[in-house]
Amino acid sequence: MSAQPGQRRIAPALSYDLMLERIRYDGAYPTRERADEVTRSVLGALGAQLGGGLRGELAAHLPAEAVRALDAGAPAPRSLTGWGFVQDLAARTDVSPAVARWNASAVLSAVAALVPADLLTRVLAELPCNYALLFGQAELAQAA
């Protein structure tokens, strides 16, 4: 997916190879191929949870290979909480929920580092509860 009409494509701060190296290091993956596999599965699952406009804005800040992974996920039939996202990712990738959470955090923290803070805030506002920690952000409770 390219940026939405009227949106310009922003050159990402780093290449997909450098993004993968960061994810490989942060996630302690043994190979670049494993980091790539994890990245594609997490981004596909995230893309399925985001609406088209916001997904397009996020895509404008990511390397092209990451954008293809983000767009690979068909829209989800229902919104998942952060824990539901992790459980769904675990089932689809045949790993334990603990490993799925680790994988999601390694990838989504790298994504958070690439996007402006205001965009990350809007992404987190669109997603149901409990995604902030997956992006390496504090989750603040709403005032009653």
Side-chain angles (χ1 to χ4, degrees):
M1 169 205 279
S2 59
Q4 297 294 315
Q7 254 184 334
R8 65 181 179 86
R9 176 89 176 126
I10 298 165
L14 71 156
S15 70
Y16 187 67
D17 286 336
L18 289 174
M19 181 180 171
L20 278 185
E21 280 306 310
R22 176 182 176 154
I23 292 167
R24 180 179 176 197
Y25 178 81
D26 289 349
Y29 300 111
T31 65
R32 180 191 186 286
E33 291 74 23
R34 179 65 183 139
D36 182 49
E37 178 183 315
V38 166
T39 299
R40 290 178 189 282
S41 63
V42 171
L43 289 178
L46 176 64
Q49 292 296 310
L50 292 175
L54 200 50
R55 185 173 48 207
E57 286 185 61
L58 186 64
H61 295 276
L62 299 177
E65 296 88 340
V67 173
R68 285 192 288 278
L70 188 68
D71 289 340
R78 66 190 193 302
S79 292
L80 299 171
T81 64
W83 177 239
F85 177 84
V86 167
Q87 289 177 308
D88 182 65
L89 186 62
R92 286 189 295 109
T93 57
D94 197 30
V95 298
S96 71
V99 170
R101 186 193 180 293
W102 180 270
N103 293 343
S105 292
V107 174
L108 297 179
S109 292
V111 168
L114 292 175
V115 302
D118 66 312
L119 177 56
L120 182 59
T121 298
R122 287 187 290 128
V123 166
L124 291 173
E126 180 173 314
L127 294 168
C129 65
N130 301 325
Y131 276 84
L133 290 175
L134 296 174
F135 282 90
Q137 306 295 306
E139 180 123 26
L140 302 176
Q142 300 232 348

